[in-house]
Structure formats: structure tokens, C-alpha cells
Amino acid sequence: MGICRLGFLVGLLWFMVIDRQILCMADTHHYNFVLQQAQFTRLCETKTMLTMNGSFPGPTIHARRGDTIYVNVHNEGEYGVTIHWHGVKQPRNPWSDGPENITQCPIQPGKNFTYEVILSNEEGTLWWHAHSDWSRATVHGAIVIAPALGTTYPFPAPDAEETIIIGSWFKGDLKAIIDEALATGEPPEKSNSLTINGQPGDQLPCSAENTYRYRVNYGKTYLLRVINAVMNEEQFFGIAGHSLTVVGQDAAYIKPITTNYIMITPGQTMDILVSANQTPSYYYIASSSFSDGPNVTFDNTTTTAILQYNGNYTTPSAIPLPPLPRFNDSAAAESYTGRVRSLASENHPINVPQSINRRLYIAIALNFLPCTAATCANSTRVAASMNNVSFEAKPIDILQAYYRSIDGVFDRDFPSEPPKYYNFTGNMTSIDVTTATGTKVKMLNYGESVEIVFQGTNLLAEMNHPIHLHGFSFYLVGTGKGNFNNVTDPKSYNLIDPPEINTVALPKSGWAAIRFIADNPGVWFIHCHLERHSSWGMDTVLIVKNGTTTATSMRPPPASLPSCS
Ligand SMILES: *[C@@H]1O[C@H](CO)[C@@H](O)[C@H](O)[C@H]1NC(C)=O
Ligand SMILES: *[C@@H]1O[C@H](CO)[C@@H](O)[C@H](O)[C@H]1NC(C)=O
Ligand SMILES: *[C@@H]1O[C@H](CO)[C@@H](O)[C@H](O)[C@H]1NC(C)=O
Ligand SMILES: *[C@@H]1O[C@H](CO)[C@@H](O)[C@H](O)[C@H]1NC(C)=O
Ligand SMILES: *[C@@H]1O[C@H](CO)[C@@H](O)[C@H](O)[C@H]1NC(C)=O
Ligand SMILES: *[C@@H]1O[C@H](CO)[C@@H](O)[C@H](O)[C@H]1NC(C)=O
Ligand SMILES: *[C@@H]1O[C@H](CO)[C@@H](O)[C@H](O)[C@H]1NC(C)=O
Ligand SMILES: *[C@@H]1O[C@H](CO)[C@@H](O)[C@H](O)[C@H]1NC(C)=O
Ligand SMILES: *[C@@H]1O[C@H](CO)[C@@H](O)[C@H](O)[C@H]1NC(C)=O
Ligand SMILES: *[C@@H]1O[C@H](CO)[C@@H](O)[C@H](O)[C@H]1NC(C)=O
Ligand SMILES: *[C@@H]1O[C@H](CO)[C@@H](O)[C@H](O)[C@H]1NC(C)=O
Ligand SMILES: *[C@@H]1O[C@H](CO)[C@@H](O)[C@H](O)[C@H]1NC(C)=O
Ligand SMILES: [Cu+2]
């Protein structure tokens, strides 16, 4: 029994005398995770791949709001891997955040590392995933965060709940795919199908028998925790014949949205209520890609699962599919995304910075660079950048280099605005498609109110990009099309109930403005969550300096961090 439960019993007594104050200390949980090779058969082929504990998706972590979770990760695989706890803010504790060579070096085969995953105000659904090369395709799982003891959901309690993870299936070996793409300078191959809870679904070859089925009872309501773990594609998702009531995103509650489909980017999570109120039968749960760039190769499969009512009825001869928007329907994606508002209630308040100390304007672009290695397929290679810097990882983590003042690992001059202004969303014929390269970080003072405007560009290919920030959630105060106008656009900001999220869908040739308080000292990665863009350098790092007290400073490193070879 945890301290929390003891506290709860005492609290119950107090409950009667003290104004509903249930004091409840956070609980701790311990998990053992083992990275290991395992065999899987999908799409008529068998392959051996890296997994957590032999399962795909990997094990679910359960906790309550405010708890701390210790996860000992033991690597029995063939190469070094790190794990990231996506959306967990990790106050003062970047040591356990996980991105490879940003906050730690990889856990090498035969070694282990215990992550201390510190929850604070996250409540709902998050996920964990490997954050080394492309291993996250097969190494990921859910983090389910229930309300703190003595509190409830801000909506009628569901009769049951389930985790729905949308993923990617590659027939080939993930490490070989990305290693080869980076060596040749060519775009990596696309996945062979999307999956729901590890299964392609019966629209795809050899997949009928194991299609994921979720059984429901007529008249009950279900909470679906939907996670997009896909590698390179944003998703449209829906359930035939059923409306979705979205109540949470990225582990923060939102004002309920009733819709027939969602658009969910890699990295995002959405909590959705579904009432089983239709004629008992079978209905497809389906997901297909939203990819609005010109001539972009993407996984165009539709993955399905079956929502299957319990009862005595004739098995339908045809199962209905939900009508999802077409793959390039930016308007459908943006209209769904534009509806999201924070719950912003008394029990779930928000704290949007109203005045700003620090402004960053970051242009996001795809580029070409000269390809000079012997392995290059062409004289150019595909690259990507933020503010005209294509990020390059180093063989030692930035956090350690910062903490131990090791010179020569990173530079502190990541630009606060694009080095050259041009019509970012216009005709690019005369714009230089190359980019600088480097390991540049942006330094922030503790406690600053930060606004970052991400600017999508039309360089090589305009498209929606899911931009993820580690160490924080942020308020999405505005989005728009075209070039950001720093005089007129802020006038339309939502400073009342903007969504509090950790991954923002930056509209195609548009902009997105986010705000947060830099109250988490540490080293925090920012990157596009389309894995190929991140691999090409669409990344940067924020370093938030210590405040003036211990409670506003980074914690010291744990005893046994993986060593850098
Ligand atoms: C993972 O496997 C290890 C070793 O078999 C086991 O001790 C641990 O409980 C498993 N973890 C989960 C979350 O299933
Ligand atoms: C984990 O690694 C530590 C050294 O960092 C070692 O002492 C310990 O035995 C390892 N635990 C397991 C389960 O391998
Ligand atoms: C897309 O590809 C086609 C055929 O290769 C080409 O004609 C067209 O210009 C391309 N469109 C863009 C926007 O790059
Ligand atoms: C998906 O794309 C492939 C080409 O990569 C094409 O042959 C196929 O018809 C497309 N399928 C669908 C359902 O659009
Ligand atoms: C199911 O319904 C059929 C016809 O409506 C009936 O014959 C059968 O006994 C029912 N089975 C059960 C298990 O209720
Ligand atoms: C989407 O793609 C189709 C071709 O597959 C094209 O006909 C249509 O114009 C495109 N729509 C938009 C909004 O680009
Ligand atoms: C690179 O070269 C290969 C053939 O070697 C060709 O098929 C491909 O289209 C080229 N890619 C680019 C981006 O030029
Ligand atoms: C990270 O550093 C290790 C050395 O500890 C190195 O082997 C690995 O290639 C580096 N990873 C990246 C992405 O640079
Ligand atoms: C930028 O380019 C777009 C698309 O061509 C155009 O509509 C817009 O007017 C241009 N903006 C400026 C300021 O030139
Ligand atoms: C883009 O600019 C080039 C030259 O600057 C011009 O030749 C071309 O017609 C323009 N394209 C569009 C779509 O405006
Ligand atoms: C607004 O944008 C212009 C360039 O368009 C830039 O020169 C100026 O510094 C910006 N002002 C602020 C407050 O960011
Ligand atoms: C920040 O504060 C921590 C704890 O007080 C201290 O160990 C560390 O040296 C300080 N500086 C940096 C750069 O982390
Ligand atoms: Cu991430």
C-alpha cells in the first residue's frame, strides 16, 4: 500500500470535517522493461525485431496524476537504445527524458538504466517510445494517467476504457532502412501498412484472423485512449456509425468536441468517449494518413479494427467503414484542429502567459545539401532545418556537456528568427534550398514567458508538420495560413482557453504560435515528430538555465547514467 492510500484513508475521515480536502501524497510505481528481439508475422511475412518485453505495442504503464514511476530498462537487444516519456514534463529532471545524445547516451546491450518518470499535472493519456534512430516504430507503449485519488474525470465515468495505438509496420529492418537512407541521401522507404494495436486489419493481406476487436455492450459508454505512434504520417481516425466525443488531448482535458473524425499527429494522444448506441453489429474503427505535401510518398493503407457489439445477431456480410477525409484534405485537418479548446474549469485551470519576455520565430524547412560520401546516390542529399540550421547530433549528450561544461559539443547561438526573411509560403524558385548545419541550442532564463511562432515554409515541399517540445506542455494561442504577421496576427490569439498540448500540428504553409513559462530547468529537445524530418535535422534544443534556488534548479545526475562510448 502506498503512502497515497494511507493518506486517502485518513483523508476520508477528514472529508467529513474539512471542506472536501482530501490530502493525498503521490504514489510510486516500479516497472521492469526488457528490450529484446522477438519474432512477428504481419502482411504474410515473418521478421525479428526489437521490442519491449516481446510485445508490439509494448506494455502499458498505469499511474495516477502526480505519481512517480521508476522504469528499469534492461537492454538485451543488439544496439544502444534510449526511451522517452512523451509528454511527461519531468520537472527539474532532464536526466530521464531520453532523446539520444540530447539528454543521455544510449543504454548499450547488456546494460540497464532506471528512468525516474515524474508526473505533475498530466492527466489522461501519454506514451513512451524509444528515442534512438528509428527504433520507436517497434518500441513504444501507453502511459495511462488516472485522476488523483479522491478526484474524478470531468465527464461521466465511462463503463470501460481501452488504449488504441495507431502504428506503422515495416517489412524491413528499421535500423537498416534509416541507416541506408542517411547513407544514400535518399528519402527512406515508406511503411508497408498502418496498424491498430499492432494489427494491420482485415483490409490488408494475411491480416483478417488477428484483426483487433473491441467488444462493447449496447447502451454503455467507452473511453478510448488514442495514441498516434505512426512514424511518418499524421492520421484521420474514426468509427463507422458512431460519433466521437473528444474530451482530452496530450494529457489535458478539453471542452468536449463531437465529431465524426479526428486528425491526430504522430506524438499526439486523444481521449475519446464513444457510446455504443447503434444497432448491435460490427463497425470498422479505421485510420488513414493525412499527408498534404505535394508529391510526398506516404503510407496510403487504411488500417482497421472492429467495434463488435456483444449479443445475439447475425454477423453482417459487409462491415461499414467510417467516411474519413481524403489524404490531402488540409481543410478537414485544420477545421478539426481549430475546434480544440482547453477545459479551463475551476478544477482544471490554465495559466496562459499574457505578457511575453522572450520571442522566437522559427522557420521550418526541407532542404537539399551536397552529398559527398562514397555511399551517396546523388550529388545532393535530402535535409531539413529550423531557422536554416540542420541539427547534427554529437557522440556525447548535450545535457552532460552543459552540466559538466564540456566545450566543443554545442553552440549557444541558435537564431531567434530566420536569418533571411523571404515570402516563406510563396514561390520558391529563386530561394536557396541549402541550409547551414550545426548543433545549436537556444538559451532561456528560468521563469521567462516564452512565445514561439513556428513558420511553415514552401521550400521544396509545403506540408503540415507535427512539432513536439520536450519538458513542457504549451498553450497553442493561434494558428493561421501564410506568413505570420507580428502586428496583426497576435490580435486574434486565444488567451482564454487555448489547448494545452505537447505536439502542435503546424498547418501547411502556415504558422502556429505557442506560449509557455520556462519554469523547467534542463535541456529540452524540439523536433518534428515525422521521423524522417527529425532524422534530416528538423530539430533544435532549448536549454533553460537554473533559477536562483535549489527548487528552481536542475537536479544532479543519477548515479549510473549510461556512459558515452
Ligand atoms: C518485462 O519482462 C521482465 C523480465 O521477464 C519482467 O520481470 C517484467 O515484469 C516485464 N514487465 C512488464 C511490464 O510486463
Ligand atoms: C543494472 O546496472 C547496474 C550497474 O549500472 C548493475 O549493478 C545492476 O546489476 C544491473 N541490473 C540488472 C538487473 O542487470
Ligand atoms: C509533382 O511531380 C510531378 C511529376 O513528377 C511534377 O510535374 C510536379 O511539378 C510536381 N509538383 C510539385 C508541386 O512539386
Ligand atoms: C497507394 O499508393 C500506391 C503507390 O505507392 C498505389 O499503387 C496504390 O494504388 C495506392 N492505394 C490507394 C488505396 O490509394
Ligand atoms: C439467438 O437468436 C436466435 C434467433 O433469433 C435463436 O434461435 C437463438 O436461440 C438465440 N441464441 C441465444 C444464445 O440466445
Ligand atoms: C488531392 O489529391 C487529388 C489527387 O489524388 C487531387 O485531385 C486533388 O486536387 C487534391 N486536393 C487538394 C486539396 O490538393
Ligand atoms: C538519385 O539517383 C537515383 C538513381 O541513382 C534516382 O533514381 C533518383 O531519382 C535520384 N534522386 C534525386 C533526389 O535526384
Ligand atoms: C550518440 O553517441 C554514441 C556514443 O555514445 C554514438 O555511438 C551514437 O552514434 C550517437 N548517436 C547519434 C544519433 O549521434
Ligand atoms: C507570398 O506568396 C503567396 C503565394 O504565392 C502569395 O499569395 C502572397 O501574396 C505572397 N506574399 C507576399 C507578402 O508577397
Ligand atoms: C516563380 O518564379 C519564377 C521566377 O522567379 C517564375 O518563372 C515562375 O513563373 C513563378 N511561378 C509561379 C507559380 O508563380
Ligand atoms: C516583426 O517582424 C519584422 C519582420 O517582418 C521584424 O523586423 C521585427 O523585429 C518583428 N518584431 C517583433 C516584435 O518580433
Ligand atoms: C544548477 O543547479 C544544480 C543544483 O543546484 C547544480 O548541480 C548545477 O551545477 C547548476 N548548474 C547547471 C548548469 O546545471
Ligand atoms: Cu517525442
Side-chain angles (χ1 to χ4, degrees):
M1 180 185 287
I3 304 165
C4 187
R5 255 153 258 160
L6 275 173
F8 181 62
L9 292 177
V10 177
L12 271 181
L13 300 175
W14 293 346
F15 182 72
M16 288 174 275
V17 279
I18 307 176
D19 188 29
R20 292 168 172 261
Q21 288 293 315
I22 296 176
L23 295 185
C24 181
M25 292 177 67
D27 221 331
T28 56
H29 309 263
H30 294 264
Y31 284 84
N32 283 309
F33 275 13
V34 180
L35 282 159
Q36 54 193 209
Q37 299 285 118
Q39 257 195 5
F40 286 80
T41 303
R42 298 286 185 277
L43 306 175
C44 323
E45 290 177 24
T46 298
K47 75 164 186 172
T48 300
M49 64 189 205
L50 188 67
T51 64
M52 199 65 94
N53 275 45
S55 65
F56 173 71
T60 300
I61 287 175
H62 291 272
R64 288 184 182 274
R65 180 187 175 111
D67 289 354
T68 294
I69 308 143
Y70 295 89
V71 188
N72 184 299
V73 178
H74 194 95
N75 190 353
E76 291 179 359
E78 292 169 344
Y79 50 86
V81 175
T82 67
I83 306 295
H84 169 53
W85 317 89
H86 184 113
V88 179
K89 297 180 187 77
Q90 299 282 25
R92 303 175 51 219
N93 186 31
W95 305 105
S96 282
D97 190 49
E100 175 167 313
N101 299 10
I102 307 297
T103 64
Q104 68 167 103
C105 282
I107 308 167
Q108 294 301 340
K111 306 284 187 189
N112 69 84
F113 177 57
T114 300
Y115 289 89
E116 183 175 353
V117 183
I118 305 173
L119 299 176
S120 47
N121 68 342
E122 304 88 349
E123 182 171 328
T125 309
L126 293 173
W127 60 304
W128 55 267
H129 62 78
H131 216 303
S132 300
D133 54 74
W134 276 26
S135 48
R136 89 164 167 84
T138 59
V139 179
H140 59 252
I143 305 177
V144 172
I145 309 164
L149 271 179
T151 69
T152 56
Y153 297 117
F155 44 80
D159 295 291
E161 56 176 75
E162 180 62 321
T163 304
I164 302 284
I165 303 185
I166 314 167
S168 304
W169 185 266
F170 290 79
K171 289 183 175 177
D173 177 79
L174 272 302
K175 190 160 168 53
I177 289 169
I178 186 58
D179 285 353
E180 193 199 324
L182 294 178
T184 60
E186 299 279 284
E189 65 186 64
K190 63 188 171 83
S191 49
N192 299 96
S193 86
L194 302 166
T195 56
I196 290 179
N197 287 354
Q199 294 294 339
D202 60 16
Q203 311 274 301
L204 289 149
C206 306
S207 304
E209 194 184 331
N210 293 317
T211 296
Y212 179 74
R213 286 161 192 270
Y214 188 49
R215 291 185 174 78
V216 297
N217 290 320
Y218 180 83
K220 303 286 189 197
T221 298
Y222 298 86
L223 174 59
L224 302 184
R225 301 173 178 278
V226 180
I227 298 168
N228 185 348
V230 170
M231 291 298 275
N232 287 309
E233 291 92 3
E234 298 173 318
Q235 296 292 302
F236 288 122
F237 172 94
I239 305 177
H242 292 73
S243 71
L244 312 175
T245 303
V246 188
V247 293
Q249 181 174 333
D250 292 6
Y253 295 116
I254 65 169
K255 294 193 171 77
I257 295 174
T258 303
T259 179
N260 292 325
Y261 70 91
I262 58 171
M263 194 287 278
I264 182 168
T265 77
Q268 290 181 334
T269 57
M270 291 182 192
D271 290 355
I272 300 175
L273 294 173
V274 176
S275 288
N277 56 9
Q278 299 299 304
T279 307
S281 187
Y282 291 26
Y283 299 87
Y284 274 127
I285 302 172
S287 192
S288 61
S289 295
F290 163 52
S291 176
D292 63 353
N295 296 347
V296 172
T297 303
F298 66 96
D299 185 332
N300 63 0
T301 59
T302 297
T303 179
T304 54
I306 296 173
L307 185 79
Q308 182 175 329
Y309 282 66
N310 292 318
N312 185 11
Y313 55 86
T314 317
T315 303
S317 53
I319 309 175
L321 271 167
L324 295 176
R326 193 177 192 145
F327 72 94
N328 57 356
D329 194 342
S330 309
E334 290 161 19
S335 96
Y336 170 73
T337 303
R339 295 176 66 189
V340 183
R341 300 275 181 276
S342 273
L343 185 55
S345 66
E346 194 183 333
N347 288 332
H348 298 281
I350 57 167
N351 178 26
V352 189
Q354 302 286 323
S355 64
I356 296 299
N357 314 117
R358 174 79 72 152
R359 290 175 197 279
L360 303 179
Y361 184 37
I362 302 182
I364 304 289
L366 293 169
N367 308 90
F368 280 131
L369 283 172
C371 201
T372 51
T375 50
C376 292
N378 292 310
S379 55
T380 57
R381 64 180 174 94
V382 195
S385 60
M386 289 192 175
N387 274 353
N388 213 45
V389 185
S390 187
F391 185 84
E392 288 180 333
K394 290 287 169 64
I396 178 171
D397 56 290
I398 292 178
L399 174 55
Q400 184 176 180
Y402 172 61
Y403 192 82
R404 302 197 200 288
S405 303
I406 302 169
D407 287 338
V409 177
F410 65 92
D411 297 311
R412 300 178 187 223
D413 58 352
F414 180 80
S416 295
E417 59 181 322
K420 266 185 295 194
Y421 279 79
Y422 54 95
N423 185 347
F424 298 115
T425 60
N427 181 351
M428 294 289 140
T429 315
S430 59
I431 306 297
D432 180 5
V433 294
T434 65
T435 173
T437 58
T439 312
K440 295 184 186 297
V441 313
K442 185 76 209 167
M443 303 298 299
L444 299 176
N445 296 321
Y446 180 88
E448 283 183 322
S449 296
V450 183
E451 177 174 300
I452 304 179
V453 177
F454 295 105
Q455 176 68 60
T457 71
N458 188 23
L459 207 56
L460 297 188
E462 52 172 356
M463 71 182 75
N464 194 301
H465 296 275
I467 309 294
H468 172 51
L469 169 60
H470 290 224
F472 297 91
S473 57
F474 50 76
Y475 296 102
L476 176 60
V477 296
T479 57
K481 300 295 267 187
N483 301 306
F484 177 69
N485 181 315
N486 62 16
V487 177
T488 54
D489 285 324
K491 293 182 179 147
S492 65
Y493 281 177
N494 173 7
L495 300 178
I496 309 294
D497 60 357
E500 183 182 356
I501 55 181
N502 63 53
T503 305
V504 56
L506 169 62
K508 170 165 95 169
S509 273
W511 55 270
I514 68 167
R515 288 185 171 191
F516 60 97
I517 310 278
D519 56 2
N520 193 9
V523 171
W524 306 112
F525 203 31
I526 298 190
H527 60 99
C528 181
H529 224 286
L530 301 182
E531 213 58 38
R532 66 181 192 284
H533 292 176
S534 184
S535 302
W536 293 339
M538 195 178 277
D539 326 281
T540 190
V541 170
L542 298 179
I543 294 186
V544 178
K545 294 186 226 168
N546 281 347
T548 51
T549 62
T550 305
T552 58
S553 295
M554 247 167 63
R555 295 176 11 165
S560 52
L561 272 174
S563 62
C564 302
S565 49

